[in-house]
Amino acid sequence: MITGFKDFLMRGNVIDLAVGIAIGVAFTSLVAAFGDNFINPLVAAVGGGSEKGFGFQITDSSKTLVDIGGLINALIVFAVTMAVIYFAVVVPVQKLQAMRKPGPGVDEPEAVPEDTALLREIRDALARRPGL
C-alpha cells in the first residue's frame, strides 16, 4: 500500500500540480497587491478624489457603496493574471512538448500508400497458393 502511494506521488502529474498550485498562490498575492496598491488608486483618481473613489452610494442614509473602481480593478487584475499565466506557463510548456515529440519516422514506420499495400497483399496471397 505504501509502495502504491509512493508511486502515485512520484508520477509527474501530481508533482507538477503541487508546484503549480504553490506558484499560483504566490502569484495571486503578488497580483492582488499590484491591483490594490497601483491600479485601484489610479482608477480612484480617474473616477474622483472622494473617499469612495470611483463609486457611489445608493442612498445617503445607508452605507451601501457601489464600487465601480473595485470592479474595474478586478477585471484588470484578472486580465493581467491570465496574460502572465498564458505567456509565462502555457506557451513555454507547449514549446517544450513540441520539442519532445518525435519527428516523422523516428518511432513510427512511414505510412504505405493504400495501392501499394493492396498490391503487397495480392502478392503474398498468390505466393501462398499451392501449385504455383
Side-chain angles (χ1 to χ4, degrees), residues 71 93 120 123:
L71 177 62
V93 167
R120 286 182 183 168
R123 179 197 62 199

Side-chain angles (χ1 to χ4, degrees), residues 16 22 24 31 37 43 52 63 65 81 97 106 114 119 132:
D16 292 344
V31 172
N37 299 317
V43 171
K52 295 174 229 133
K63 300 287 183 183
L65 174 69
T81 303
Q97 288 176 343
V106 173
E114 285 185 46
L119 288 172
L132 289 179

Side-chain angles (χ1 to χ4, degrees), residues 6-21 93 97 100:
K6 181 180 144 192
D7 292 341
F8 171 73
L9 287 178
M10 297 311 286
R11 286 194 329 204
N13 295 343
V14 174
I15 294 171
D16 292 344
L17 181 62
V19 169
I21 289 172
V93 167
Q97 288 176 343
R100 292 183 68 200

